[in-house]
Amino acid sequence: MFGSQAIAAASSASVPDSSAWDEGLDEAQLSAVLHDGPPLIVVAGAGTGKTRTLTSRVARLLERGVDPSRILLLTFTRRAAEDMTARAAALSGGIRPSAGGRRVWGGTFHAVAHRLVSEFSEQLGVATISVIDPSDATDLLDMLRDDHALTGTSTRLPRAATMLDVYSRAVNTDRRVRDVVTTDFPWVDPHVEAVTALLRDYVDRKRQRGLFDFDDLLLAWRALLTEPAIRDVLTNRWDHVLVDEYQDVNRIQVDIVTQLRPGGVGLTVVGDDAQAVYGFRGATSSHLLELADALPQSRLVRLERNFRSRQRLLDLANVVRPGDPRQRLRLHADRAGAGARPRLVRCYDAAEEARTVVDAVLGAVQEGQPLRDQAVLMRAGHHSDLLELELSTRHVPFVKYGGLRFLEAAHVKDFLAALRVTLNQHDELAWFRVLRLHEGIGPARARALLPSVLSDDPDGGLTEVIAAAPARARTALDSTLHNYRHACFSDTASARVTACLAMLRPLLQARYPDAAARLVDLDRLAAAASSAADLVAYVADATLDPPRSTTDQAQPPHLDEDYLTLSTVHSAKGLEWESVHVIHAVDGAFPSDMALGTPDGLEEEQRLFYVALTRARESLSIYTPLRLPHHRRAHDDRHSYALASRFLTDEALATMDIHEVPRPVAPLGGLHAGLPKVARPTLDHLLL
């Protein structure tokens, strides 16, 4: 059986003394790094050094003389791929992962898919490729709603974002739209026929305009692998395919991986079924097990030695950890000393929970632990509402993970839209945005102008656009189209970018009160775009893997650079802190009541709880407020009593210290004033 395979002793393989890639590896890690031959499946528990193992495996392949370009490393963030290849170079005695101009194919699934789709665009029947992000896709669905009777106020209609979610889930889970609506979006069921027709129109419109959303990139890659000639090219291009975070792949990605390495030779996957927390993207914890069943000759290596947490914290994690018995791991600490037991803190209500957390955080600061070494984790972002108020009242600086992505800043999207229309004249979403930058052109007028601007007769179409535009928009629109033509006929990326900036500058100055700061931002973006070897790839990269956030303008420096981290558990995955506080650990919040409709949903909530528990290095506190308000911002006192999370079983509680926070007592002096002494004990009893 798959689960009973033993880890072979690493000593059977020769390890060159001159290398650094094997330093500090334990027996299980070294076994994975040295493995040759059959497909390798590494089941790596939280904090067990999976990144170091994968990096060392790449380094060893390079040291053995494997051509870097024959290695494909698939990750879920571009930064992870870049970090791994850089560390592999450092560990392989200076052998570069880009030796002789050849580079390791490292990147996200979507980024690699874009490179391949661009390479084989002719075979796919597309002349131009524009990558659109979810907000662009939502705009396109909004543009198509009128054609399918999905606008109006006579009844509740699904939002464009909801329909995009339906589409994406259908694609990623390989289910029919009707089935997705029935199970995940039952309120959309009365409109399922219209939604299905709209989504068909959405797919056709993207194909006509050369638009690829994130799901389309994966579908196109899988489609390429169904063509025998292209499949032979791609399967022969790489000798080694390594996949990180395999528990997070969806069905399309599973198909891509298995078709790239038929039979599994040269395949390495690393993952942890207990950390599969992206079911809404089509990921499932069963993928590791299914891969092992499909490749019975595969070799399993278990990483159970945890380099992050103390053993007493791992004792709780081992109890909570879900998963298939055949892959179940039991973590044991590498660090000496058992450490403190995790704490269960029972509070009267959410307000008291917030006060207690801040007391604990500031108490740790008094004992020498910086705020930046502490984190508060929650299932949903709104669970920290009262905590944020308490932190602000007590002047505790904090940062909350999430917020505006850089690409979502309006002026950045304006710049990318300008570049996109010069690269793909038929990109109607980019044109829709550029047209609406002009005074007097709103969504309806922009939609009416699109047929002309997308005309196969560019000059005639653009002349019609100016004639049909409102009088107050014509001067600016004429300037825009003049710079557009200049950009289209530019010979260099620098000239094209300069023309795009000339197109945007007067529009942004008229539109945004803080245009000066935004234009400085765009000048820096333009410098980066001008130096890009391939503008199409530059725009695609910016869309697929943008920076996390932006600010409009730099602010005065903070003299106190310390801050507390607040984060949802999803955002905290892969991170760690000395001290972790998990709040709202009650049924309905953690697990979320929105996930309790199916057994799979509950299991994913348990995996998410496990992820939260394994972020702490030294101390872990879990909070269970008894009394929760019905509405977070209401002024009334309606509330419910909450049960502690069902994941805190008797076995879990046996590993914890339980602390009861006394219910706060309001001062009674003011109420006593003027009362006869004989009445005071009775009043005390009623108030307490």
Side-chain angles (χ1 to χ4, degrees), residues 171-245:
V171 170
N172 289 317
T173 60
D174 202 19
R175 291 185 290 162
R176 297 187 311 161
V177 167
R178 182 179 297 277
D179 295 336
V180 171
V181 167
T182 299
T183 58
D184 300 346
F185 303 88
W187 65 92
V188 179
D189 195 63
H191 311 286
V192 67
E193 297 297 339
V195 169
T196 302
L198 182 146
L199 293 178
R200 291 196 189 99
D201 196 4
Y202 169 70
V203 171
D204 290 341
R205 186 67 66 92
K206 288 186 297 178
R207 185 180 297 116
Q208 294 167 9
R209 305 303 188 199
L211 306 177
F212 283 72
D213 64 25
F214 291 2
D215 296 324
D216 294 330
L217 292 172
L218 298 181
L219 289 171
W221 188 358
R222 185 172 68 176
L224 290 172
L225 289 167
T226 63
E227 294 293 327
I230 300 176
R231 181 177 63 241
D232 290 344
V233 171
L234 295 182
T235 55
N236 291 322
R237 177 169 290 179
W238 300 292
D239 297 322
H240 300 274
V241 175
L242 301 93
V243 186
D244 192 19
E245 304 285 8

Side-chain angles (χ1 to χ4, degrees), residues 72-106:
L72 173 62
L73 175 61
L74 293 169
T75 65
F76 278 83
T77 66
R78 179 170 58 185
R79 178 178 177 181
E82 292 173 349
D83 286 349
M84 285 188 189
T85 52
R87 290 169 63 182
L91 292 173
S92 59
I95 299 174
R96 304 292 301 174
S98 56
R102 302 181 304 276
R103 301 182 62 85
V104 168
W105 279 68

Side-chain angles (χ1 to χ4, degrees), residues 85-343:
T85 52
R87 290 169 63 182
L91 292 173
S92 59
I95 299 174
R96 304 292 301 174
S98 56
R102 302 181 304 276
R103 301 182 62 85
V104 168
W105 279 68
T108 66
F109 274 90
H110 294 96
V112 174
H114 178 258
R115 292 176 64 181
L116 297 177
V117 169
S118 300
E119 180 181 348
F120 295 101
S121 59
E122 184 177 346
Q123 290 85 338
L124 289 168
V126 292
T128 55
I129 297 170
S130 292
V131 178
I132 60 175
D133 67 9
S135 65
D136 294 323
T138 301
D139 288 343
L140 179 55
L141 288 168
D142 255 334
M143 291 170 60
L144 299 173
R145 291 165 65 102
D146 283 338
D147 299 337
H148 297 274
L150 287 169
T151 57
T153 59
S154 60
T155 186
R156 180 190 179 190
L157 295 167
R159 298 179 301 118
T162 300
M163 291 186 284
L164 180 63
D165 202 358
V166 169
Y167 170 79
S168 186
R169 292 195 189 199
V171 170
N172 289 317
T173 60
D174 202 19
R175 291 185 290 162
R176 297 187 311 161
V177 167
R178 182 179 297 277
D179 295 336
V180 171
V181 167
T182 299
T183 58
D184 300 346
F185 303 88
W187 65 92
V188 179
D189 195 63
H191 311 286
V192 67
E193 297 297 339
V195 169
T196 302
L198 182 146
L199 293 178
R200 291 196 189 99
D201 196 4
Y202 169 70
V203 171
D204 290 341
R205 186 67 66 92
K206 288 186 297 178
R207 185 180 297 116
Q208 294 167 9
R209 305 303 188 199
L211 306 177
F212 283 72
D213 64 25
F214 291 2
D215 296 324
D216 294 330
L217 292 172
L218 298 181
L219 289 171
W221 188 358
R222 185 172 68 176
L224 290 172
L225 289 167
T226 63
E227 294 293 327
I230 300 176
R231 181 177 63 241
D232 290 344
V233 171
L234 295 182
T235 55
N236 291 322
R237 177 169 290 179
W238 300 292
D239 297 322
H240 300 274
V241 175
L242 301 93
V243 186
D244 192 19
E245 304 285 8
Y246 193 78
Q247 78 280 350
D248 291 336
V249 297
N250 60 35
R251 174 48 55 187
I252 304 172
Q253 292 163 325
V254 167
D255 292 344
I256 289 170
V257 170
T258 53
Q259 291 182 58
L260 280 177
R261 304 312 305 157
V265 176
L267 176 64
T268 298
V269 304
V270 180
D272 181 6
D273 62 311
Q275 296 189 70
V277 294
Y278 296 109
F280 58 92
R281 299 180 187 169
T284 170
S285 62
S286 64
H287 282 150
L288 279 168
L289 188 62
E290 290 173 353
L291 181 64
D293 290 339
L295 301 172
Q297 77 279 23
S298 60
R299 166 84 179 287
L300 171 69
V301 173
R302 301 171 183 271
L303 302 186
E304 298 177 292
R305 184 181 179 189
N306 180 285
F307 298 91
R308 175 186 300 155
S309 306
R310 299 288 186 183
Q311 186 60 50
R312 284 177 173 164
L313 303 185
L314 297 180
D315 290 341
L316 173 60
N318 286 332
V319 171
V320 170
R321 179 188 172 96
D324 190 285
R326 290 179 287 175
Q327 290 184 343
R328 191 175 182 88
L329 305 180
R330 187 163 188 83
L331 300 177
H332 58 272
D334 174 73
R335 300 175 64 189
R341 283 159 60 95
R343 294 197 317 152

